Amino acid sequence: MARKIVITGGKGGTGKTTVCANLGIALARLNFRVLLMDMDIGLNNLDVVMKVEDKVVFDFIDVVENRCRAGQALIQDEAEPTLYVMPSCHSAKRQVTADAVKKVISRLSDTFDYILLDCPAGIDVGFRRAINCADEAIVVVTPHLSGVRDADKTITQLTANSVSVNVVVNRVRGDLVASGEMLSAFEVFGLLGHTALGVIPENDDVNCNVDLHACRKPFDVLARNLTSGSYDMYDCVSRYKGVFGRLKRKFKKNV
Amino acid sequence: MPSDNYNRAQAMILDDKYNLAKTGFFKELREVVTKYMECDALKVDTFSNGNLDIVITISAKKLYKQLTPVE
Ligand SMILES: Nc1ncnc2c1ncn2[C@@H]1O[C@H](COP(=O)(O)OP(=O)(O)OP(=O)(O)O)[C@@H](O)[C@H]1O
Ligand SMILES: [Mg+2]
């Protein structure tokens, strides 16, 4: 039986899709069978981030509306043979219910070890549909006040729906944390409570999405924490502390 | 020492959660307070410190003399 985990965060653009894709790759590298499912109907981007947008023949709406079998909508990753993507689409003719999606997921549940659901931003219909299909959630939050506030509201909804919550702080700028201008990941964990799962730094490779395999380390740590229950946090701050650190900070800020 | 950002974030989260100013608590509190004093401002802040600390700040202009005990 697969672990069904919704990747959510409330606010738009916190890095839900990015974390979903990279965590999927890291899990597949640990030899788990992983399915990434795009639950965003309308602003679906998981296919683009996973670089499979030109391979989409069927999507999960086709499966829900019985135009194809679930297996036909799965796209295998080129580099990781145990990793699959189920894309979404721009629109659905009829309302897609959580129950219909749950049925699709339960059909695939024995084929995979992890099913990661990439949730749309916000806390309305799309969000509720996605969280209804999951037992666990990864809340992706950026260390900004508005991000933390929205994540807290999201967590309230998740706990009300008995979905267990893990928190990942994304886009942490080590230099700004060291200078005290940005909330640290640990402050964010303290504010939101629940299980601290990982820290992902702000990273140019992630941002440009040229090579998803370029920024491996933080996601590998995240995948290990998720699979083994360990509690290692990627450190992107200490290199900006001390005399040399202060110099690096100055340089980084001025470019 | 918690950072300014941390304090602001915490205040915001607690305000979203409890927002006593929008509940009956605040209204009743105001009624009680104005029985005893004339005040400029009444403020309820929540802080989380393991326990929840609720700090009520009253800026009183004039305190009425209460000679007879109120029942
Ligand atoms: N750690 C990071 N470092 C640098 N850039 C990042 C990082 N995480 C995400 N980004 C960038 O931020 C942008 C938004 O990320 P992403 O699409 O994953 O967010 P999202 O939460 O899925 O957005 P939406 O709410 O629209 O679904 C992307 O351009 C992505 O490359
Ligand atoms: Mg997204």
Side-chain angles (χ1 to χ4, degrees):
Chain A
M1 263 266 277
R3 274 175 79 177
K4 300 168 201 79
I5 307 174
V6 61
I7 319 287
T8 180
K11 200 166 147 23
T14 59
K16 300 175 286 296
T17 306
T18 304
V19 168
C20 187
N22 286 280
L23 175 62
I25 292 171
L27 288 169
R29 247 189 253 123
L30 294 172
N31 287 324
F32 288 106
R33 299 165 301 167
V34 184
L35 169 61
L36 308 181
M37 212 165 150
D38 195 340
M39 294 289 288
D40 199 333
I41 304 171
L43 302 177
N44 53 309
N45 280 322
L46 186 63
D47 52 344
V48 179
V49 175
M50 288 300 293
K51 300 195 169 109
V52 296
E53 75 275 12
D54 52 352
K55 292 186 188 165
V56 177
V57 181
F58 294 111
D59 54 56
F60 98 83
I61 308 300
D62 290 318
V63 185
V64 168
E65 296 180 349
N66 291 317
R67 282 188 292 274
C68 71
R69 283 178 286 107
Q72 287 175 288
L74 298 180
I75 306 170
Q76 190 175 27
D77 185 67
E78 266 178 19
E80 299 298 332
T82 61
L83 177 62
Y84 289 80
V85 180
M86 187 181 279
S88 177
C89 62
H90 302 304
S91 65
K93 280 199 199 81
R94 268 169 285 137
Q95 179 78 271
V96 178
T97 63
D99 282 341
V101 184
K102 263 191 205 163
K103 253 184 223 155
V104 174
I105 292 176
S106 75
R107 257 181 263 158
L108 293 165
S109 183
D110 289 332
T111 320
F112 292 98
D113 302 307
Y114 285 89
I115 299 182
L116 306 185
L117 308 170
D118 184 20
C119 183
I123 43 174
D124 41 39
V125 192
F127 166 80
R128 284 201 298 276
R129 178 169 51 226
I131 68 167
N132 263 315
C133 300
D135 314 311
E136 302 166 64
I138 293 177
V139 174
V140 180
V141 53
T142 57
H144 306 106
L145 294 179
S146 50
V148 173
R149 186 188 197 186
D150 290 359
D152 182 68
K153 287 188 195 142
T154 309
I155 289 173
T156 308
Q157 304 256 342
L158 288 165
T159 41
N161 281 276
S162 318
V163 180
S164 71
V165 175
N166 302 280
V167 178
V168 169
V169 186
N170 185 29
R171 307 197 79 149
V172 178
R173 283 263 311 260
D175 57 324
L176 296 182
V177 174
S179 64
E181 290 161 274
M182 181 179 259
L183 282 169
S184 75
F186 297 97
E187 284 181 310
V188 177
F189 292 140
L191 286 162
L192 296 178
H194 299 275
T195 312
L197 193 68
V199 179
I200 311 292
E202 171 82 30
N203 181 290
D204 294 343
D205 291 326
V206 175
N207 204 357
C208 301
N209 191 30
V210 182
D211 179 11
L212 275 178
H213 300 260
C215 179
R216 284 177 57 157
K217 223 169 155 208
F219 291 105
D220 286 341
V221 178
L222 182 63
R224 274 204 306 275
N225 286 347
L226 184 70
T227 54
S228 69
S230 54
Y231 183 79
D232 297 324
M233 291 298 139
Y234 183 80
D235 177 16
C236 54
V237 180
S238 51
R239 77 188 72 148
Y240 293 105
K241 286 187 172 158
V243 182
F244 286 116
R246 199 167 302 153
L247 264 170
K248 277 191 226 160
R249 239 147 70 192
K250 208 162 184 163
F251 185 69
K252 177 149 183 160
K253 238 185 153 171
N254 291 337
V255 286
Chain B
M1 249 250 303
S3 64
D4 283 352
N5 273 333
Y6 182 87
N7 289 334
R8 272 189 71 195
Q10 191 178 64
M12 223 165 354
I13 286 175
L14 292 173
D15 199 47
D16 286 341
K17 253 195 198 106
Y18 303 108
N19 206 340
L20 288 169
K22 281 199 187 140
T23 63
F25 172 78
F26 198 78
K27 219 173 125 202
E28 282 180 47
L29 180 68
R30 197 176 52 204
E31 275 161 24
V32 173
V33 168
T34 48
K35 256 198 245 169
Y36 293 86
M37 63 198 75
E38 203 176 292
C39 64
D40 276 341
L42 177 61
K43 204 165 145 237
V44 180
D45 288 311
T46 26
F47 301 94
S48 165
N49 199 345
N51 281 336
L52 193 65
D53 295 341
I54 299 174
V55 179
I56 299 172
T57 313
I58 304 169
S59 171
K61 236 163 106 188
K62 196 167 116 197
L63 209 56
Y64 307 140
K65 280 194 181 127
Q66 304 278 340
L67 293 179
T68 45
V70 208
E71 2 133 26

